């Protein structure tokens, strides 16, 4: 009987589903408009990115604000002048001389030229405004992206490994670019307010009741727009986990990193099906919201159109009765239509700005995240050299969101200049010890001391800068070979001798020398001319980063798993010989390598089960001897 097919809506690992009953922020109207508090902060960000261009954008909008009223009023004067000319007798076929010699015709020609000049000016100002806004948006997008990356780099590892925080980061990432438009919308609102005031003054001089009529007709449309903007934000907020799944599936199905296994395991259909189902669900939700929005919006738009034509009919009747001139009719009808559009745009704009400000909540909420692991206000100097070593004193640690202890009552001393090996089955706590030692996490209980002082007493960057760590899941940077080595101490990237020396110590120099461009060869298949390496070759380059760092404390957390036993033995032998006098931690499942350590800790269930040299632990006949014998039997 075939196994049941997985539910396509089952969240992928790491995708957080909002808890039942959870509502996105900004549900209430007051809360939504409260999000406008972020606009000053946005303005400061945009201004910092473009201190000259932003005022220019504002000035251009102010210059454009009065042009629509002027153009419409000039058009009224032209119509009145034409009507007046119709009442005057003129010879058949007016020549150019008549336009220059007749004062009335000359005034009409001047009005037409003025209208033309205003139209040209409006077009030029509009294009200049669009150009400046685009440049400001680009600068802001770059500045906000840099701030996002820098702030993300300052956060704790726990804040990256939590699915809910990943959703928050995803929402923030989506708001980095494009949100400068909110500021331009606000500027546009100010421009439209000035234009509206000018039209309102003109209408008030003739028929002030028209202003009240159009306002009453458009208030329901404003409330409708506000309601659906809120619904749109709620939908975007609640569907963040699904969007992350879709992004993951899109990458998984079209990535060079996953291509081999996707093909060999025949996953194309499964990934495409899962993507299609999730995407269709999002499309259906968006479609339903769009249909309801269009239906209600169409009804309220019809109400506004009815109000316009009721007013227009009244103006036509009063013009026919001789109360208004033809020019007055054109000016009033045009002003009423523009006023209606302006009020409608302003009402919708206020709602859209309030809605867009809600998305700013996502961005500034991410910026408001504060790392729990920080440097102290008055850090103590890092000891150079380390004299006493590192002590784990009754350390216990639980990963956030779990009640399971990764390590508990952990006590051991890593002496200065000692090479210590950590041995144990998966889940014994080896990598957790490395994370605690490097302050990627702080202990839940107990203390980690460096030369008698808690790690929290040292500057965080200084502490991590003195520790060189290579993990098994090291990053394969799509950079040049030289840059891949230099990331171990990136501030020394322009020191070719240090780079080649580090590569030589890890045996990566032989790999790099065979590349077509040697140290300038791009690695990986992401970009043009990139060359991919085998797993073992990548590991040698990753190991060179530890030598590049030239740190007081070195940690190798199973970084040689892809090497054969002989190559791993040689790497660790060189590591021991070249790193004499340095404090080091080795984690490896190969006992031929582990036995080279000065001392070995055998971990079980997050505690130290045994401690000693290879010979001492063998003589004890305990867990280490048992594991060693099991592995040795495989080579007989």
């Amino acid at each position: 009987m075939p196994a049941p097919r997985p539910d396509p809506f089952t969240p992928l690992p790491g995708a957080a589903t909002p808890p039942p009953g959870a509502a996105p922020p900004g549900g209430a109207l007051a809360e939504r408009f409260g999000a406008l508090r972020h606009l000053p902060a946005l303005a400061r960000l945009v201004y910092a990115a473009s201190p000259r261009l932003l005022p220019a954008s504002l000035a251009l909008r102010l210059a454009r604000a009065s042009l629509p009223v002027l153009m419409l009023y000039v058009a009224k004067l032209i119509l009145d002048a034409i009507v007046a000319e119709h009442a005057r007798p003129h010879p058949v076929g007016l020549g150019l001389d008549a336009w220059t010699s007749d004062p009335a015709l000359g005034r009409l020609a001047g009005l037409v030229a003025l209208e033309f000049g205003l139209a040209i000016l409006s077009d030029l100002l509009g294009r200049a405004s669009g150009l400046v806004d685009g440049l400001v948006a680009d600068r802001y997008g770059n500045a906000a992206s840099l701030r996002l990356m820098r702030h993300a780099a300052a956060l704790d590892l726990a804040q990256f490994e939590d699915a809910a925080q990943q959703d928050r980061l995803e929402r923030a990432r989506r708001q980095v670019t494009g949100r400068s438009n909110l500021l331009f919308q606000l500027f546009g609102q100010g421009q439209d307010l000035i234009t509206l005031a000018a039209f309102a003054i003109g209408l008030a001089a003739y028929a002030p009741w028209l202003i009240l009529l159009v306002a009453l007709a458009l208030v329901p449309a404003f409330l409708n727009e506000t309601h659906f903007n809120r619904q749109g934000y709620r939908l975007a907020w609640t569907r963040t986990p699904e969007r992350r799944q879709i992004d993951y599936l899109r990458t998984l199905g079209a990535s060079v990193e996953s291509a081999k296994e996707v093909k060999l395991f025949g996953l194309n259909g499964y990934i495409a099906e899962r993507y299609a189902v999730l995407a269709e669900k999002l499309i259906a939700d968006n479609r339903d919201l769009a249909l309801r929005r269009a239906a209600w919006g169409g009804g309220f738009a019809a109400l506004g159109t009815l109000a316009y034509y009721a007013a227009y009919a009244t103006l036509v009747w009063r013009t026919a009765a001789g109360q208004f001139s033809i020019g007055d009719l054109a000016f009033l009808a045009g002003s009423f239509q523009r006023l209606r559009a302006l009020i409608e745009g302003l009402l919708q704009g206020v709602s859209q700005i309030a809605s867009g400000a809600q998305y700013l909540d996502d961005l500034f909420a991410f910026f408001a995240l504060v790392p729990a692991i920080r440097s102290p206000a008055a850090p103590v100097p890092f000891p150079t050299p380390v004299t006493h070593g590192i002590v784990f004193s009754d350390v216990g640690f639980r990963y956030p969101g779990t009640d399971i202890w990764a390590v508990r009552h952990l006590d051991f001393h890593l002496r200065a200049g000692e090479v210590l090996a950590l041995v144990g089955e998966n889940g014994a706590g080896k990598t957790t010890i490395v994370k605690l030692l490097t302050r990627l996490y702080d202990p839940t209980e107990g203390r980690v001391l460096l030369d008698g002082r808690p790690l929290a007493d040292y500057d965080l960057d200084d502490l991590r800068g003195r520790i060189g760590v290579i993990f098994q899941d090291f990053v394969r940077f799509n950079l040049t070979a030289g840059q891949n080595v230099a990331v171990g101490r990136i501030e020394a990237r322009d020191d070719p001798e240090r780079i080649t020396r580090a590569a030589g110590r890890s045996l990566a120099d032989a790999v790099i020398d065979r590349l077509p461009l040697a140290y300038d060869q791009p690695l990986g298949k992401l970009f043009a001319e990139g060359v991919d390496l085998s797993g073992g070759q990548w590991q040698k380059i990753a190991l060179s980063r530890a030598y590049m760092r030239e740190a007081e404390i070195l940690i190798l957390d199973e970084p040689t798993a892809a090497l054969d036993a002989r190559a791993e033995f040689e790497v660790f032998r060189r590591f021991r010989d070249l790193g004499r006098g340095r404090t080091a931690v080795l984690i490896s499942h190969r006992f031929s390598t582990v036995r080279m350590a000065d001392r070995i800790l055998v971990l079980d269930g997050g505690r130290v089960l045994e401690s000693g040299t290879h010979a001492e632990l063998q003589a004890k006949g305990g867990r280490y001897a048992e594991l060693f014998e099991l592995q040795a039997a495989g080579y007989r």
Side-chain angles (χ1 to χ4, degrees), residues 47 108 150 234 311 313 342 373 421 423 470 624:
Y47 179 77
L108 180 58
R150 287 167 179 158
R234 289 174 65 88
L342 283 169
I373 300 175
V423 174
I470 301 297
Y624 178 85

Side-chain angles (χ1 to χ4, degrees), residues 80-355:
D80 284 341
I82 290 174
V83 171
E85 288 303 310
H86 269 283
R88 292 175 55 201
H90 289 287
V92 178
L94 286 175
L96 181 61
D97 57 336
W99 288 91
T100 56
S101 59
D102 189 315
L105 289 177
R107 178 173 176 273
L108 180 58
L111 289 172
V112 172
L114 177 59
E115 181 86 355
F116 173 73
L118 291 174
I120 293 294
L121 180 60
S122 178
D123 180 67
L124 291 176
L125 289 176
R127 292 177 182 276
S129 180
L131 173 63
V132 171
D133 288 356
L135 294 174
V136 172
D138 287 343
R139 289 181 176 271
Y140 163 75
N142 289 338
S145 295
L146 285 172
R147 179 173 175 181
L148 184 78
M149 288 189 290
R150 287 167 179 158
H151 188 71
L155 297 180
D156 297 334
L157 181 61
Q159 292 168 305
F160 279 94
E161 294 181 341
D162 179 70
Q165 296 293 4
Q166 289 182 37
D167 286 344
R168 174 176 284 181
L169 174 59
E170 174 65 16
R171 287 194 293 268
R173 189 183 293 116
R174 289 175 180 269
Q175 307 316 317
V176 164
T177 56
R179 287 302 155 194
S180 58
N181 290 335
L182 269 178
L183 204 58
F184 299 140
Q185 278 184 280
L186 196 62
F187 287 174
Q189 293 284 85
Q191 175 185 333
D192 289 346
L193 272 174
I194 296 173
T195 306
L196 183 147
F199 276 123
I201 291 171
L203 278 179
Y206 291 91
W209 55 272
L210 292 177
I211 301 174
L212 180 61
L213 177 63
V214 70
L216 290 176
L218 292 175
V219 166
F222 166 70
L223 296 177
N224 175 72
E225 191 69 18
T226 298
H227 169 75
F228 281 105
N229 280 338
R230 178 163 59 97
Q231 293 298 313
Y233 176 72
R234 289 174 65 88
L235 180 60
W237 192 92
T238 55
R239 290 304 182 195
T240 298
E242 285 84 355
R243 282 203 308 271
R244 283 207 302 119
Q245 290 188 54
I246 285 175
D247 290 342
Y248 171 70
L249 291 169
R250 184 188 296 116
T251 302
L252 191 64
S255 169
V256 64
E257 287 81 7
S258 58
K260 293 191 295 292
E261 293 193 35
V262 167
K263 289 179 179 296
L264 292 175
F265 291 124
L267 298 178
N268 306 71
Y270 169 76
I271 293 172
E273 177 189 6
R274 192 179 184 100
Y275 177 92
V277 174
L278 286 169
E280 184 58 36
K281 176 61 177 174
L282 291 184
I283 291 172
D285 289 342
N286 290 329
R287 181 190 63 233
D288 293 344
L289 180 64
L291 288 173
R292 287 186 286 114
R293 186 173 196 156
W296 283 97
F300 288 119
L303 181 63
T305 303
L306 177 64
Y308 168 73
Y309 279 100
Y312 184 69
T314 303
L315 291 174
V316 170
W317 176 78
R318 294 183 65 177
T319 301
Q323 298 179 24
F324 296 138
S325 69
I326 297 297
D328 291 338
L329 173 63
F331 177 74
L332 290 173
S335 295
F336 181 80
Q337 187 175 29
R338 292 294 300 274
L339 189 65
R340 172 200 166 197
L342 283 169
I343 293 177
E344 184 176 9
L346 284 168
L347 293 177
Q348 290 183 357
V350 168
S351 176
Q352 289 170 358
I353 288 174
S355 178

Side-chain angles (χ1 to χ4, degrees), residues 24-69:
L29 188 63
E31 292 178 0
R32 292 184 62 245
F33 283 94
L36 294 173
R37 70 187 183 279
H38 294 306
L39 288 177
L42 175 66
R44 288 192 293 271
L45 282 178
V46 178
Y47 179 77
S50 301
R52 295 182 180 179
L53 291 176
L54 189 62
S57 174
L58 183 59
L60 288 168
R61 292 177 182 278
L62 291 175
R64 294 177 62 199
S66 59
L67 289 180
V69 183

